Coordinates of all heavy atoms in Angstrom, one line a residue:
T176 N 94.5 78.2 111.1 CA 95.6 78.6 110.2 C 95.0 79.4 109.0 O 94.1 78.9 108.3 CB 96.4 77.4 109.6 OG1 96.9 76.7 110.7 CG2 97.5 77.9 108.7
F177 N 95.4 80.7 108.9 CA 94.8 81.6 107.9 C 94.9 81.1 106.5 O 94.0 81.2 105.7 CB 95.4 83.0 108.1 CG 94.8 84.0 107.1 CD1 93.5 84.4 107.3 CD2 95.6 84.5 106.1 CE1 93.0 85.4 106.4 CE2 95.1 85.4 105.2 CZ 93.8 85.9 105.4
S178 N 96.1 80.5 106.2 CA 96.4 80.1 104.8 C 95.5 78.9 104.4 O 95.5 78.6 103.2 CB 97.8 79.7 104.7 OG 98.2 78.6 105.5
S179 N 94.8 78.3 105.2 CA 93.9 77.2 104.9 C 92.5 77.6 104.5 O 91.7 76.8 104.0 CB 93.8 76.2 106.0 OG 93.1 76.7 107.1
N180 N 92.2 78.9 104.6 CA 90.9 79.5 104.4 C 90.7 80.2 103.1 O 91.5 81.1 102.8 CB 90.5 80.4 105.6 CG 90.5 79.7 106.9 OD1 90.2 78.5 107.0 ND2 90.8 80.4 108.0
D181 N 89.6 79.9 102.4 CA 89.2 80.9 101.4 C 88.5 82.1 102.1 O 87.9 81.9 103.1 CB 88.2 80.2 100.4 CG 88.8 79.0 99.6 OD1 90.0 79.0 99.5 OD2 88.0 78.2 99.2
M182 N 88.7 83.2 101.5 CA 88.2 84.5 102.1 C 87.3 85.2 101.1 O 87.5 85.2 99.9 CB 89.3 85.3 102.6 CG 90.3 84.7 103.6 SD 89.5 84.3 105.2 CE 89.2 86.0 105.8
A183 N 86.4 86.0 101.7 CA 85.5 86.8 100.8 C 85.0 88.0 101.5 O 85.0 88.1 102.7 CB 84.3 85.9 100.3
W184 N 84.4 88.9 100.7 CA 83.7 90.1 101.2 C 82.3 90.1 100.6 O 82.1 89.8 99.4 CB 84.4 91.4 100.7 CG 85.7 91.7 101.4 CD1 87.0 91.3 100.9 CD2 85.9 92.3 102.6 NE1 87.9 91.8 101.8 CE2 87.3 92.4 102.9 CE3 85.1 92.9 103.6 CZ2 87.9 93.0 104.0 CZ3 85.6 93.5 104.7 CH2 87.0 93.5 104.9
F185 N 81.4 90.4 101.5 CA 80.0 90.5 101.1 C 79.5 91.9 101.7 O 80.2 92.5 102.5 CB 79.1 89.4 101.8 CG 79.4 88.1 101.2 CD1 80.5 87.3 101.6 CD2 78.6 87.5 100.2 CE1 80.7 86.0 101.1 CE2 78.8 86.3 99.7 CZ 79.9 85.5 100.1
R186 N 78.4 92.4 101.2 CA 77.8 93.6 101.7 C 76.3 93.5 101.8 O 75.7 92.7 101.1 CB 78.2 94.8 100.8 CG 77.6 94.7 99.3 CD 78.3 95.8 98.5 NE 77.7 95.9 97.2 CZ 78.2 96.7 96.2 NH1 79.2 97.5 96.4 NH2 77.6 96.7 95.0
H187 N 75.8 94.3 102.7 CA 74.4 94.3 103.0 C 73.8 95.7 103.2 O 74.4 96.5 103.9 CB 74.1 93.4 104.2 CG 72.6 93.3 104.6 ND1 72.1 93.9 105.7 CD2 71.6 92.7 103.9 CE1 70.8 93.7 105.7 NE2 70.5 93.0 104.7
V188 N 72.7 95.9 102.6 CA 71.9 97.2 102.7 C 70.6 96.8 103.4 O 69.9 95.8 102.9 CB 71.7 97.9 101.4 CG1 70.8 99.1 101.6 CG2 73.0 98.2 100.7
P189 N 70.1 97.6 104.4 CA 68.8 97.3 105.0 C 67.7 97.2 103.9 O 67.6 98.1 103.1 CB 68.6 98.4 106.0 CG 70.0 98.8 106.3 CD 70.8 98.7 105.1
G190 N 66.9 96.2 104.0 CA 65.8 96.0 103.1 C 66.2 95.2 101.8 O 65.3 95.0 101.0
K191 N 67.4 94.9 101.7 CA 67.9 94.2 100.5 C 68.7 92.9 100.9 O 69.1 92.8 102.1 CB 68.8 95.0 99.6 CG 68.2 96.3 99.1 CD 69.1 97.1 98.2 CE 69.5 96.3 96.9 NZ 70.4 97.1 96.0
E192 N 68.8 92.0 100.0 CA 69.6 90.8 100.3 C 71.1 91.0 100.4 O 71.6 91.9 99.7 CB 69.3 89.7 99.2 CG 67.8 89.3 99.1 CD 67.6 88.2 98.1 OE1 68.6 87.6 97.7 OE2 66.5 88.1 97.6
R193 N 71.7 90.3 101.2 CA 73.2 90.3 101.2 C 73.7 89.9 99.9 O 73.2 88.9 99.3 CB 73.7 89.4 102.3 CG 75.2 89.3 102.5 CD 75.6 88.3 103.6 NE 75.1 87.0 103.3 CZ 75.1 86.0 104.1 NH1 75.6 86.2 105.3 NH2 74.6 84.8 103.8
E194 N 74.7 90.6 99.4 CA 75.3 90.3 98.1 C 76.8 90.0 98.1 O 77.5 90.6 98.9 CB 75.0 91.4 97.1 CG 75.6 92.7 97.3 CD 75.4 93.7 96.2 OE1 75.3 93.3 95.1 OE2 75.3 94.9 96.5
F195 N 77.2 89.2 97.3 CA 78.6 88.9 97.1 C 79.4 90.0 96.5 O 78.8 90.7 95.6 CB 78.8 87.6 96.2 CG 80.2 87.3 95.7 CD1 81.1 86.8 96.6 CD2 80.5 87.7 94.4 CE1 82.4 86.5 96.1 CE2 81.8 87.4 94.0 CZ 82.7 86.8 94.9
V196 N 80.6 90.3 97.0 CA 81.4 91.4 96.4 C 82.6 90.8 95.8 O 82.9 91.1 94.6 CB 81.8 92.4 97.5 CG1 82.7 93.4 97.0 CG2 80.5 93.0 98.1
A197 N 83.4 90.1 96.5 CA 84.7 89.6 96.0 C 85.2 88.4 96.9 O 84.8 88.3 98.1 CB 85.8 90.7 96.0
A198 N 86.0 87.5 96.3 CA 86.5 86.4 97.1 C 87.9 86.1 96.6 O 88.3 86.4 95.4 CB 85.6 85.2 96.9
I199 N 88.7 85.4 97.4 CA 90.0 85.0 97.1 C 90.3 83.6 97.7 O 89.9 83.4 98.9 CB 91.0 86.1 97.5 CG1 92.4 85.8 97.0 CG2 91.1 86.2 99.0 CD1 93.4 86.9 97.1
N200 N 90.9 82.7 97.0 CA 91.1 81.4 97.5 C 92.3 81.4 98.5 O 93.0 82.4 98.8 CB 91.4 80.4 96.4 CG 92.8 80.4 95.9 OD1 93.5 81.4 95.8 ND2 93.2 79.2 95.5
W201 N 92.5 80.2 99.1 CA 93.4 80.1 100.3 C 94.8 80.6 99.9 O 95.6 81.1 100.8 CB 93.4 78.7 100.8 CG 94.0 77.7 99.8 CD1 93.2 77.0 98.9 CD2 95.3 77.3 99.7 NE1 94.1 76.2 98.2 CE2 95.3 76.3 98.7 CE3 96.5 77.6 100.3 CZ2 96.5 75.7 98.2 CZ3 97.7 77.0 99.9 CH2 97.7 76.0 98.9
S202 N 95.3 80.3 98.7 CA 96.6 80.6 98.3 C 96.8 82.1 97.7 O 97.9 82.5 97.6 CB 97.1 79.6 97.3 OG 96.4 79.8 96.0
G203 N 95.6 82.7 97.4 CA 95.7 84.0 96.8 C 95.8 83.9 95.3 O 95.9 85.0 94.6
R204 N 95.8 82.8 94.7 CA 96.1 82.6 93.3 C 94.8 82.7 92.4 O 94.9 82.9 91.2 CB 96.7 81.2 93.0 CG 98.1 81.1 93.6 CD 98.5 79.6 93.6 NE 98.5 79.0 92.3 CZ 98.6 77.7 92.0 NH1 98.8 76.9 93.0 NH2 98.6 77.3 90.8
V205 N 93.6 82.6 93.1 CA 92.4 82.7 92.4 C 91.5 83.7 93.1 O 91.3 83.7 94.3 CB 91.6 81.3 92.3 CG1 90.3 81.4 91.6 CG2 92.5 80.3 91.7
S206 N 90.8 84.6 92.3 CA 89.9 85.5 92.9 C 88.7 85.7 92.0 O 88.7 85.3 90.8 CB 90.6 86.9 93.0 OG 91.0 87.4 91.8
D207 N 87.6 86.2 92.5 CA 86.4 86.4 91.8 C 85.7 87.7 92.3 O 85.9 88.1 93.5 CB 85.4 85.2 92.0 CG 84.3 85.2 91.0 OD1 84.4 85.8 90.0 OD2 83.3 84.5 91.3
Y208 N 85.0 88.4 91.4 CA 84.3 89.6 91.7 C 82.9 89.7 91.2 O 82.6 89.1 90.1 CB 85.1 90.8 91.1 CG 86.5 91.0 91.6 CD1 87.6 90.3 91.0 CD2 86.8 91.7 92.7 CE1 88.9 90.5 91.4 CE2 88.1 91.9 93.2 CZ 89.1 91.3 92.5 OH 90.4 91.4 93.0
A209 N 82.0 90.4 91.9 CA 80.7 90.7 91.4 C 80.9 91.6 90.2 O 81.8 92.5 90.2 CB 79.8 91.3 92.5
D210 N 80.0 91.5 89.2 CA 80.0 92.3 88.1 C 80.0 93.8 88.4 O 80.6 94.6 87.8 CB 78.9 92.0 87.1 CG 79.1 90.7 86.4 OD1 80.2 90.2 86.4 OD2 78.1 90.2 85.8
A211 N 79.2 94.1 89.5 CA 79.0 95.5 89.9 C 80.3 96.2 90.3 O 80.4 97.4 90.3 CB 78.0 95.6 91.0
V212 N 81.3 95.4 90.7 CA 82.6 96.0 91.3 C 83.8 95.7 90.4 O 84.9 96.2 90.8 CB 82.8 95.6 92.7 CG1 81.6 95.9 93.6 CG2 83.1 94.1 92.8
K213 N 83.7 94.9 89.4 CA 84.8 94.5 88.6 C 85.4 95.8 88.0 O 84.8 96.7 87.5 CB 84.4 93.6 87.4 CG 84.1 92.2 87.9 CD 83.8 91.3 86.7 CE 83.6 89.9 87.1 NZ 83.2 89.0 86.0
G214 N 86.8 95.9 88.1 CA 87.5 97.0 87.6 C 87.6 98.1 88.6 O 88.4 99.1 88.3
R215 N 86.9 98.1 89.7 CA 86.9 99.1 90.7 C 87.5 98.6 92.0 O 88.2 99.3 92.7 CB 85.6 99.7 90.9 CG 85.0 100.4 89.7 CD 83.7 101.1 90.0 NE 82.7 100.3 90.5 CZ 82.1 100.4 91.7 NH1 82.5 101.4 92.6 NH2 81.2 99.5 92.1
F216 N 87.2 97.4 92.4 CA 87.6 96.8 93.6 C 88.6 95.7 93.4 O 88.6 95.0 92.4 CB 86.4 96.1 94.3 CG 85.3 97.0 94.9 CD1 85.3 98.4 94.5 CD2 84.3 96.5 95.7 CE1 84.4 99.2 95.0 CE2 83.4 97.4 96.2 CZ 83.4 98.7 95.8
T217 N 89.6 95.6 94.3 CA 90.6 94.5 94.3 C 90.7 93.8 95.6 O 90.9 94.5 96.7 CB 92.0 95.1 93.9 OG1 91.9 95.8 92.7 CG2 93.0 94.0 93.8
I218 N 90.6 92.5 95.6 CA 90.8 91.7 96.9 C 92.2 91.2 96.9 O 92.7 90.7 95.8 CB 89.7 90.6 97.0 CG1 89.8 90.0 98.4 CG2 89.8 89.6 95.9 CD1 88.6 89.0 98.6
S219 N 92.8 91.2 98.0 CA 94.1 90.6 98.2 C 94.3 90.1 99.6 O 93.4 90.3 100.4 CB 95.2 91.7 97.9 OG 95.1 92.7 98.8

């Protein structure tokens, strides 16, 4: 059931560590963003 899952986006560049981008909780009421993308990216 999709609504039971927290969801997130990560990104990876060869030679670098995978990094967190954005996340949203199961209900969509709480979200979080990496500082590098705040104000530019929106998770929904």
Side-chain angles (χ1 to χ4, degrees):
T176 301
F177 180 71
S178 61
S179 68
N180 299 327
D181 295 338
M182 303 291 295
W184 290 94
F185 293 80
R186 64 189 183 187
H187 180 250
V188 177
K191 299 181 66 177
E192 297 180 23
R193 179 181 59 190
E194 67 174 328
F195 168 77
V196 176
I199 189 166
N200 82 327
W201 65 270
S202 69
R204 295 167 57 192
V205 180
S206 61
D207 193 21
Y208 298 91
D210 288 342
V212 306
K213 285 182 178 178
R215 299 188 298 120
F216 292 9
T217 302
I218 188 170
S219 62

